[in-house]
Amino acid sequence: AVIRATPARTGVSHLRRKYGQPLQILVAIAGLVLAIACANIANLLLARATVRQREVSVRLAVGATRGRLLRQLLTESVLLSLLGGVAGVLLAFLATSELLTMVFPGAATFAFEVTPDVRVLGFAAGVSVLAGVLFGIAPALRASRLDLVTAMKSGSRTAGADSRGRFSAGKLLVVAQVALSLLLVVGAGLFVRSLVKLAHQDFGFSPEHVLLVKVDPRIAGYKPAQLAGLYQRIQQAVNAQPGVRSSALALYTPLSGDNWDGNISIDKNTPEENKHLGSAWVRVTPGYFETMGMPLLLGRGFTEQDTADGTHAVVVNETFAHDFYGKENPIGHRFGRSEATKQQWEIVGVVKSTKHTDPRDAGEDTYFLPVQQLAAGASQDTGDLYLRDLVVRASGNPATIAEAVRQALRGVDDNIPVTRITTMTDQIDASFNQEQLIGVLSAIFGGLALLLACVGLYGLMAYAVARRTNEIGLRMALGASRETVLWMVLRESLVLVAIGVVVGLPLVVAGVRVVKSQLFGIAPYDPLALISALLVLVTIAAMSGFIPARRATRVEPMVALRDE
């Protein structure tokens, strides 16, 4: 066994265990988007520094030191990043409530405060300054190291040579952006595909048209001996409402976050074999399986005749039957809660296994007990006798019968509190809000990264076309067709994209290994996600390069050569 120590000052939190790794993945994704943004701004500042060569050369000629120029250019880039940081903090204030609602759907209040505080603001300021220095240092160094004589002679035309350089800094930054964007787009595709698989899997029951009503008879003052009659009256009143097909009550329902379990003793096992056996269990009323849409595989479900005076009936799920009885027919077998327990239940039916506690897990061993066998003659006030989930199957939209069900409960006893009304589909959605959080945010970040990479590619190619106007005019004057010019410029952008894809593939392989534990129902290297990401990236990047290429074909040779 492995024992892990947890610092006492941080406490033990199920939220930390549940959201720790997903939040670390989202922080890494946010960091990659920040890196792409820095590369994009650095690329634009490199182009701007090239345009300002004459200005910088004049400043140097009249006595400005290179250190002063370096400080000025860095100040401009840091100021730009700080403005972006302020905009990001404002967006964080606006988005905080939306993120909390995504994590805790339906909650009116939250157990902790996540509004950006002084530490968050300080961190944002530090990251903004660091980003400003990182994306501003290269353009500032290049501008401050300008050769004064060459710059004064050539003016702004020297920029064209650099923009056409095979290994220019601008092109390297675009390649890096494409590589990181590929990683994020593939990751977003995997998370979205995983979320779709999770949401559309077979849960073992039919959640459509099912309304869930949370009630609490214990608060209303009911005693165990009164519960069987109360449950019958509730079902009769609810079933009489228009639009209601059936109803039932249960201790808890699938994927509600509740779980009751305990040790069991199988009749055919030895005491040693029963020593470590356990199973989840649920107490329900007759009609539960039909209302939930849980298929009956063997035997029968519960009826009104399953009382304390009759056979102590129990229904088990398919996983229970397979794990404890193998291929043997479990109908008629008996088991209890322990060897010392005299009460034994006889298996009368087997139902399909459901996802009860976690939508990612396979169906766990579960058995169902009819509440009327104990409630009528119960002497102990145990919590498991108080069924708090009223399940109602509607003929159509379950939300339309919510008020009628509430009125029916008031007709039975207006002292019974109704703490919550929801649908089974909403309860299922809430059970994988972690996956929804990752899927939605990764898709947003992936789209943002792709947009930034395409803007960077467009900016580089548009700048290159602008600097090469005279060259393009000369080529067209010498007989080059517009299609030749179009392909010449477009090919350059496609080559950058191809190199970025090649560089990004090893990053994808490494990144998938990190996030594979968060995926469900798909292989880590899912072909559809990979191919879709490549097609989206290449298509949008090609469009970003096509626009400047198209602009190049509209250059008039005589106008372009007039200044030559």
Side-chain angles (χ1 to χ4, degrees):
V2 178
I3 299 177
R4 292 184 174 86
T6 300
R9 64 181 180 85
T10 60
V12 178
S13 172
H14 73 281
L15 291 177
R16 186 182 301 113
R17 291 193 299 269
K18 182 177 181 180
Y19 292 100
Q21 186 176 10
L23 289 178
Q24 290 173 0
I25 293 174
L26 290 176
V27 168
I29 291 175
L32 291 176
V33 174
L34 178 62
I36 294 173
C38 289
N40 207 348
I41 299 300
N43 212 351
L44 296 177
L45 288 180
L46 282 172
R48 186 167 180 267
T50 304
V51 174
R52 297 176 65 183
Q53 283 184 356
R54 180 177 291 276
E55 173 197 343
V56 172
S57 62
V58 171
R59 289 178 179 272
L60 290 172
V62 297
T65 64
R66 298 185 186 275
R68 182 180 180 86
L69 283 174
L70 181 63
R71 290 194 299 272
Q72 175 190 339
L73 296 175
L74 278 177
T75 300
E76 292 177 359
S77 63
V78 170
L79 180 60
L80 184 64
S81 67
L82 285 175
L83 291 175
V86 170
V89 169
L90 294 176
L91 182 61
F93 274 99
L94 297 176
T96 296
S97 60
E98 295 298 328
L99 290 176
L100 283 178
T101 302
M102 191 181 301
V103 177
F104 306 105
T109 59
F110 307 105
F112 47 85
E113 180 64 44
V114 294
T115 303
D117 54 14
V118 175
R119 290 178 298 176
V120 174
L121 296 177
F123 176 79
V127 170
S128 298
V129 172
L130 179 62
V133 173
L134 288 178
F135 69 64
I137 190 68
L141 287 175
R142 170 176 292 188
S144 63
R145 293 175 181 175
L146 184 67
D147 182 33
L148 181 59
V149 176
T150 304
M152 293 294 289
K153 286 182 178 180
S154 59
S156 62
R157 293 184 187 177
T158 56
D162 179 72
S163 66
R164 295 191 300 269
R166 181 170 297 179
F167 300 105
S168 67
K171 293 182 179 179
L172 291 177
L173 289 173
V174 168
V175 167
Q177 290 180 69
V178 172
L180 294 178
S181 297
L182 177 63
L183 172 61
L184 294 181
V185 173
V186 170
L190 290 174
F191 285 131
V192 171
R193 287 258 297 151
S194 177
L195 179 60
V196 171
K197 288 282 187 179
L198 194 66
H200 293 86
Q201 65 175 308
D202 182 9
F203 292 97
F205 60 93
S206 177
E208 295 81 11
H209 311 300
V210 175
L211 184 74
L212 297 178
V213 182
K214 292 284 187 180
V215 296
D216 199 335
R218 196 170 199 170
I219 294 180
Y222 281 88
K223 301 302 180 182
Q226 301 172 297
L227 293 176
L230 172 66
Y231 297 147
Q232 289 179 350
R233 294 197 302 273
I234 289 177
Q235 285 185 263
Q236 291 172 358
V238 171
N239 290 341
Q241 301 303 310
V244 174
R245 294 174 56 185
S246 63
S247 67
L249 291 101
L251 180 61
Y252 62 93
T253 49
L255 302 176
S256 63
D258 295 327
N259 186 48
W260 290 59
D261 56 25
N263 296 330
I264 59 171
S265 174
I266 304 296
D267 57 354
K268 69 183 185 65
N269 288 353
T270 64
E272 186 63 28
E273 290 174 331
N274 284 326
K275 191 174 182 180
H276 300 293
L277 296 185
S279 173
W281 61 277
V282 188
R283 218 179 280 282
V284 300
T285 64
Y288 175 75
F289 305 119
E290 295 82 357
T291 303
M292 286 295 298
M294 297 170 60
L296 189 66
L297 304 180
L298 291 173
R300 65 174 179 85
F302 297 131
T303 66
E304 296 294 341
Q305 286 68 44
D306 290 316
T307 63
D309 298 329
T311 301
H312 286 190
V314 64
V315 174
V316 301
N317 69 353
E318 188 177 11
T319 306
F320 186 104
H322 177 270
D323 289 347
F324 299 129
Y325 296 98
K327 296 182 180 180
E328 184 180 356
N329 188 341
I331 302 297
H333 280 277
R334 293 175 174 269
F335 69 91
R337 286 211 169 120
S338 69
E339 292 287 349
T341 302
K342 294 182 179 180
Q343 184 181 22
Q344 296 284 307
W345 302 300
E346 180 180 328
I347 300 176
V348 298
V350 178
V351 294
K352 187 174 182 179
S353 298
T354 63
K355 300 296 182 73
H356 240 84
T357 57
D358 191 336
R360 286 176 169 269
D361 296 338
E364 60 181 318
D365 304 321
T366 307
Y367 61 91
F368 302 85
L369 299 173
V371 69
Q372 68 269 26
Q373 284 189 345
L374 291 179
S379 58
Q380 294 183 351
D381 192 4
T382 57
D384 60 282
L385 296 177
Y386 294 88
L387 308 188
R388 294 179 172 87
D389 280 10
L390 171 62
V391 185
V392 184
R393 178 165 290 277
S395 301
N397 184 358
T400 60
I401 65 170
E403 186 57 33
V405 171
R406 188 189 291 272
Q407 293 297 332
L409 288 171
R410 289 175 180 171
V412 174
D413 187 345
D414 57 5
N415 291 321
I416 298 177
V418 175
T419 58
R420 185 186 179 193
I421 297 182
T422 185
T423 64
M424 180 56 74
T425 53
D426 288 340
Q427 181 163 290
I428 291 175
D429 291 342
S431 68
F432 47 81
N433 50 21
Q434 166 189 316
E435 288 77 9
Q436 289 178 327
L437 177 68
I438 298 178
V440 171
L441 292 184
S442 64
I444 293 174
F445 284 135
L448 181 59
L450 183 60
L451 176 63
L452 290 173
C454 292
V455 168
L457 178 63
Y458 170 81
L460 177 69
M461 299 312 301
Y463 177 74
V465 168
R467 305 305 301 167
R468 298 171 65 181
T469 300
N470 293 341
E471 174 198 340
I472 293 172
L474 181 60
R475 288 177 179 272
M476 297 182 70
L478 294 176
S481 64
R482 296 186 183 275
E483 290 76 13
T484 302
V485 174
L486 176 68
W487 174 243
M488 177 187 70
V489 179
L490 184 59
R491 179 180 57 191
E492 188 174 348
S493 63
L494 292 177
V495 167
L496 293 178
V497 174
I499 296 175
V501 169
V502 172
V503 174
L505 287 177
L507 298 179
V508 170
V509 173
V512 166
R513 292 178 180 176
V514 176
V515 304
K516 65 180 181 180
S517 63
Q518 299 295 319
L519 303 179
F520 175 84
I522 61 173
Y525 304 102
D526 182 60
L528 182 59
L530 294 173
I531 294 174
S532 300
L534 284 173
L535 289 177
V536 170
L537 179 62
V538 172
T539 301
I540 297 181
M543 292 175 60
S544 300
F546 177 80
I547 297 175
R550 180 71 175 174
R551 184 179 300 169
T553 63
R554 297 176 179 176
V555 173
E556 292 295 334
M558 296 306 298
V559 176
L561 294 175
R562 183 173 299 166
D563 297 331
E564 193 62 45

